[in-house]
Amino acid sequence: MTSQNDLTLLQFFDFEDAKARKEGLNALYGTAVMRGTQALLSTAPSLLQNQIALSVMEALKGALAVPLVDVLTSAWTTRRELKQYLDRSKFPREELIDHALGKHEIQSTHRPKLQIMLDQSPIGAEFEFAVNVALNVEAAILRIHDGRIMHAQLGKVSGLGSVKCEEATLFARANKPIVLPQTLSFGQGIAVPWPKELALTSSATAA
Amino acid sequence: MAEHLRGVFWVCLAAVLSALSLAYAADDTAQGSDFLVLAIKPEGDVKDYRMVPVGEQAVDHVQYRDVVNSMPRSLFGGVIVRPHDERAELAQCRTACAANAKCGNFTYVRPGKDRPIGVCHLRRVAEKPADVAVEKPNYADTPVTIAMAPVVENEAPKPEVVFVSPAVRNEHKLINVDSRRNGRSLFAGEQSPGAPITFRFNEPVATAKAEVRATGKDRVWANIEALDVNGRVFKRSGTWIASDGDAHQVLVRTESDRIGAVRITTRDPGAVRVDGIDFVRAAPTLAEATPVETAEAIDAAEADIPPPEPEFTAEAFPLPARAQARMQTKDVAESAPPPQDQPVEQAPTQHVTVAELPADGSQDATITIPIAPAEAQPVEAQPVEAVPTAIAETTTHPLQQPPELPLLAAAGAAVFLLGGAGLYRHNYRRRTLARLTTNILTDGRSRPTVSLTTDEPDMSLRFAVRAHATVSARQTTITITPDGAAA
């Protein structure tokens, strides 16, 4: 069983690519929040002025260190059809269920926020980013046991996405295949949330 | 009678008083009055100066300050002054006084702590020349008065002759060497002149070698300077003279006949004595047209014996004892007895005509060295070899600083400065960047927006394990129930 935690959104968006980062920095300089922060640091040493964008990018790097598998599991757990396996009367504990998902698409959006600090004091407005990820999964078979997703078998997966700050796109990815292990193991298993948890987190739409 | 005596008494008293007043007046007149003060401003090459008027009866401080301000300044604002050359500045004063018809005497004031430039006070006629007193400066206004004979216009300048006598041996002596041939001048015993002394050749020579001997108990550093025909020093060197009683050779050599004079000085006057000086010219001239005093002896006994091979002699290699002069002695005896043949204390120089004081016992005399027959030194009878290279082989200072040391010191200082600058820059950069941080308020994962859309229905298969597969199990049965079917 190969490790499925190596692939994160950093690799998804080619964050380590120098050209991509340079383009992202240039796009970041054009945002209003960056200009405002630079204006506040106009009297600071030039070394600090030139370091703001780099510092933001380094912090964004931490925000994008999200395993892609987490995006998949977060989406699967929102599937309404899985909550039936929580009924012990119908699905005893010793039974194993292979729940097959056909071709489906997963949309995930999360919004990290950053704050520039100068001498331990916040300066300027918060930097808010919008990370959009869209994954197309050909098929997925979830092994469920005792109300927990133990492992999953994946078909072909492809994805596209973007990282935006205000209206500026810092990083973008076209629809390309994603190399994931065929079988994902989740150790002790991912618990299928009860219906009330589903209402708090997301809205699921089923065909 | 009493009145007569009283009158005589008053006359004598008046005479004494008048004599005293005249004496003071004479001193005053002898002292002379300043009529021009010149500042000796270093300008140009090492020995070049410019005499700038800075006052008449006394130094005008404003003019003097202007001269000082016109001097080049260092980076720290101080005046850049050449190393003090008192002899050169005295020469400037002497020249300025000689060029001025009103000048009869001058006073040279050395530079001091508050006075970076020396000055010359030109004075009117000085009837009573003062003694030469070159004292140590006490940085107060202690002038040094140099005596000069009155300058008479339209009169041919007299040759510079410095009085030499046993009583004033410590003065700087000048000895003229009249010979136009290669030869040697020897001095015997107490006749040996002590330093400081200058040997001036009427015809410049290519090689000059002096035999010097220390007179004290400690070794002595002797400065040797070679001067050209214009009196400019073109070579300066020195050597230690051991106090072993032996004569040590000091050699100055040039490629061509460039040496017009050789000057030997020591820190303490009279610390060394010169027993003789050899000189060789690269292109020997013809014989002298005018016969000298002992012409017969010289013509008969003199042979153009070249000096020995020039050798560098340090204090560790003293000269051997002088050999007996046999052949020359015989020749000298056959031709004519040398006049005033005084017995010499040192045996090797007994039969050689040496420079000597006049027999009339006069204290002051001008010494002119005639050609003395060279000693019969078989070892020294070697042909003169032309000096191949223009290298003056004088001893060098024993503590010669390697030329690479200043470069290494400069390179080390540059590396240190660059390293320090780099370290400071690194620390500054690190400290500055540490001021700026970026905090992640939220990574957004706590409230993600996730949706899953599919167009196909889900399917499931249920697996029920009826019997565990153990070692004792007869069989393991697995029942697969499709979704929707009865178990």
Side-chain angles (χ1 to χ4, degrees):
Chain A
M1 191 76 67
T2 60
S3 172
Q4 61 269 30
N5 294 330
D6 294 341
L7 187 63
T8 64
L9 294 182
L10 293 174
Q11 291 80 25
F12 185 80
F13 290 109
D14 288 334
F15 192 89
E16 300 298 334
D17 182 51
K19 183 180 178 182
R21 290 192 68 169
K22 184 177 180 180
E23 293 174 355
L25 277 174
N26 293 334
L28 186 62
Y29 279 122
T31 59
V33 62
M34 176 57 73
R35 289 196 299 268
T37 304
Q38 284 181 326
L40 293 174
L41 292 177
S42 60
T43 58
S46 59
L47 181 62
L48 292 180
Q49 297 180 25
N50 300 332
Q51 192 65 22
I52 297 175
L54 295 175
S55 179
V56 169
M57 295 298 281
E58 287 298 319
L60 182 62
K61 182 179 178 180
L64 293 179
V66 178
L68 210 58
V69 175
D70 291 352
V71 177
L72 293 171
T73 56
S74 299
W76 290 333
T77 54
T78 61
R79 190 70 172 151
R80 189 185 298 276
E81 282 75 6
L82 295 179
K83 71 179 181 57
Q84 61 180 330
Y85 304 115
L86 299 174
D87 189 355
R88 290 288 185 274
S89 59
K90 294 182 179 181
F91 301 93
R93 181 171 299 181
E94 58 274 11
E95 286 190 356
L96 301 174
I97 300 99
D98 282 345
H99 188 90
L101 296 173
K103 185 177 181 180
H104 58 280
E105 182 180 354
I106 297 174
Q107 298 278 349
S108 174
T109 301
H110 66 279
R111 298 179 181 278
K113 289 185 179 180
L114 308 176
Q115 176 65 59
I116 301 294
M117 307 290 283
L118 180 65
D119 297 332
Q120 307 301 325
S121 299
I123 183 170
E126 297 177 354
F127 284 77
E128 184 173 345
F129 301 89
V131 182
N132 301 312
V133 178
L135 301 176
N136 296 315
V137 184
E138 289 289 331
I141 300 176
L142 306 180
R143 171 65 61 90
I144 300 173
H145 179 258
D146 192 19
R148 305 179 76 85
I149 303 174
M150 304 306 294
H151 55 82
Q153 290 180 333
L154 294 175
K156 294 181 181 179
V157 180
S158 64
L160 58 93
S162 66
V163 178
K164 293 186 177 181
C165 180
E166 295 177 359
E167 297 300 326
T169 301
L170 306 184
F171 297 92
R173 176 192 166 97
N175 193 7
K176 293 187 298 184
I178 300 173
V179 179
L180 284 174
Q182 188 177 8
T183 304
L184 302 176
S185 174
F186 303 117
Q188 299 295 326
I190 299 175
V192 176
W194 293 94
K196 62 179 178 180
E197 292 174 352
L198 289 176
L200 290 176
T201 55
S202 62
S203 59
T205 58
Chain B
M1 184 63 176
E3 292 180 355
H4 177 70
L5 289 177
R6 193 182 298 112
V8 172
F9 170 76
W10 286 113
V11 169
C12 292
L13 182 61
V16 168
L17 291 175
S18 61
L20 288 175
S21 62
L22 287 175
Y24 282 120
D27 289 340
D28 291 338
T29 54
Q31 291 286 341
S33 58
D34 293 350
F35 68 94
L36 183 62
V37 182
L38 300 173
I40 311 171
K41 178 185 176 185
E43 194 173 84
D45 293 339
V46 177
K47 292 289 187 181
D48 290 341
Y49 297 88
R50 190 160 72 92
M51 306 299 282
V52 181
V54 292
E56 295 182 358
Q57 275 77 31
V59 175
D60 186 352
H61 296 289
V62 175
Q63 297 184 37
Y64 185 85
R65 186 183 59 198
D66 293 340
V67 174
V68 174
N69 290 338
S70 66
M71 299 277 290
R73 297 270 176 175
S74 66
L75 292 176
F76 302 102
V79 176
I80 299 177
V81 182
R82 279 189 221 149
H84 177 53
D85 190 341
E86 184 168 304
R87 186 179 293 114
E89 295 190 356
L90 275 172
Q92 293 293 323
C93 287
R94 190 178 297 116
T95 303
C97 185
N100 195 314
K102 293 189 295 182
C103 179
N105 196 354
F106 67 90
T107 300
Y108 166 68
V109 181
R110 289 192 188 93
K113 185 169 61 175
D114 300 328
R115 192 174 48 248
I117 303 176
V119 295
C120 288
H121 293 257
L122 301 188
R123 297 187 165 189
R124 290 192 174 86
V125 176
E127 297 175 358
K128 178 181 178 181
D131 292 333
V132 175
V134 183
E135 301 170 349
K136 282 200 175 288
N138 58 358
Y139 297 108
D141 251 350
T142 303
V144 175
T145 303
I146 308 295
M148 259 202 68
V151 176
V152 179
E153 293 184 348
N154 299 326
E155 186 176 285
K158 299 177 182 178
E160 181 179 354
V161 175
V162 178
F163 296 137
V164 178
S165 68
V168 287
R169 276 194 189 281
N170 290 339
E171 290 186 352
H172 194 143
K173 294 169 282 298
L174 175 64
I175 296 179
N176 291 314
V177 181
D178 290 336
S179 171
R180 297 181 181 179
R181 290 173 176 267
N182 301 329
R184 166 181 294 180
S185 300
L186 297 176
F187 312 97
E190 292 300 319
Q191 307 302 325
S192 300
I197 185 170
T198 300
F199 295 94
R200 189 170 69 183
F201 306 100
N202 288 352
E203 294 287 338
V205 300
T207 303
K209 182 170 62 177
E211 297 174 0
V212 295
R213 172 168 50 85
T215 58
K217 297 180 180 179
D218 300 327
R219 64 175 185 173
V220 179
W221 178 263
N223 295 310
I224 301 98
E225 295 174 323
L227 298 85
D228 58 10
V229 293
N230 298 323
R232 298 176 67 93
V233 177
F234 66 90
K235 195 71 178 180
R236 187 179 282 113
S237 182
T239 184
W240 286 104
I241 307 299
S243 61
D244 53 3
D246 294 330
H248 298 265
Q249 290 186 348
V250 174
L251 175 70
V252 178
R253 189 168 66 180
T254 58
E255 184 176 357
S256 59
D257 295 339
R258 190 182 175 189
I259 302 173
V262 172
R263 183 161 54 204
I264 300 174
T265 57
T266 56
R267 188 178 64 179
D268 299 322
V272 298
R273 292 193 176 279
V274 181
D275 291 340
I277 183 165
D278 296 341
F279 43 91
V280 175
R281 295 184 177 83
T285 56
L286 297 176
E288 297 174 2
T290 56
V292 295
E293 194 170 343
T294 57
E296 296 80 7
I298 293 171
D299 290 342
E302 184 185 12
D304 197 359
I305 298 175
E309 188 72 18
E311 296 175 352
F312 170 77
T313 305
E315 59 179 316
F317 301 96
L319 287 177
R322 296 177 181 172
Q324 296 289 336
R326 304 188 202 94
M327 295 179 61
Q328 273 66 14
T329 304
K330 178 181 177 182
D331 294 336
V332 169
E334 287 179 353
S335 58
Q340 298 177 358
D341 188 7
Q342 296 183 2
V344 181
E345 295 180 6
Q346 300 295 334
T349 59
Q350 285 181 1
H351 304 286
V352 178
T353 302
V354 298
E356 56 192 1
L357 291 174
D360 56 359
S362 61
Q363 294 291 325
D364 299 333
T366 303
I367 293 182
T368 302
I369 310 296
I371 287 295
E375 291 181 351
Q377 295 275 359
V379 180
E380 301 170 349
Q382 295 177 4
V384 177
E385 296 181 6
V387 179
T389 58
I391 299 173
E393 293 182 352
T394 58
T395 57
T396 58
H397 198 280
L399 298 177
Q400 189 175 9
Q401 190 179 13
E404 298 82 11
L405 189 60
L407 292 178
L408 291 176
V415 169
F416 178 78
L417 290 174
L418 289 175
L423 184 63
Y424 173 80
R425 182 175 179 273
H426 173 72
N427 288 337
Y428 168 78
R429 184 180 175 84
R430 184 172 55 83
R431 283 184 281 107
T432 302
L433 293 178
R435 296 175 56 192
L436 185 68
T437 57
T438 303
N439 291 348
I440 300 176
L441 300 178
T442 173
D443 58 358
R445 294 296 302 160
S446 60
R447 292 177 177 272
T449 304
V450 182
S451 63
L452 190 151
T453 57
T454 179
D455 295 330
E456 298 174 359
D458 296 349
M459 293 183 295
S460 64
L461 289 173
R462 294 162 55 188
F463 303 86
V465 180
R466 299 299 181 189
H468 294 283
T470 60
V471 177
S472 60
R474 290 181 296 175
Q475 62 181 25
T476 300
T477 305
I478 298 176
T479 305
I480 299 175
T481 306
D483 188 20

